Amino acid sequence: MTELINAFQMAQRQFDHVAEQLKLDPQVAEILRWPAREFKFEIPLRMDDGSLRLFFGYRVQHNDARGPNKGGIRFHPARPWIPCAPCRCG
């Protein structure tokens, strides 16, 4: 039987490996290991065949000690329902 890959668990294993190589303080590693905020949202979309499908989106912020967490979807003020390209600026 095939095992499903959990991306979050895989990322935590990679983080643990790197934290060990860097000899990171275990208390600091524990704080950085878990997200500070999680946002989950649902987007219902009417498909071309008329059916309605629900899509899920996620945004996770880990640590904002080095500055504000910017980015994500930006909406045009004239058309708030149509997303623009994500902001990549500092």
Side-chain angles (χ1 to χ4, degrees), residues 50-71:
S51 64
L52 191 64
R53 286 193 56 194
L54 193 60
F55 292 89
F56 296 94
Y58 303 90
R59 171 92 174 153
V60 177
Q61 297 173 343
H62 280 269
N63 188 304
D64 60 359
R66 297 187 68 197
N69 289 311
K70 293 167 86 174

Side-chain angles (χ1 to χ4, degrees), residues 72-76 82-88:
I73 296 175
R74 300 289 192 260
F75 291 93
H76 191 279
I82 299 176
C84 299
C87 178
R88 301 274 185 232

Side-chain angles (χ1 to χ4, degrees), residues 3 5-6 8-18 33:
E3 182 182 335
I5 296 173
N6 182 317
F8 181 67
Q9 290 175 348
M10 182 172 44
Q12 283 194 318
R13 280 195 302 269
Q14 291 172 346
F15 174 81
D16 292 340
H17 179 70
V18 171
R33 192 172 194 268

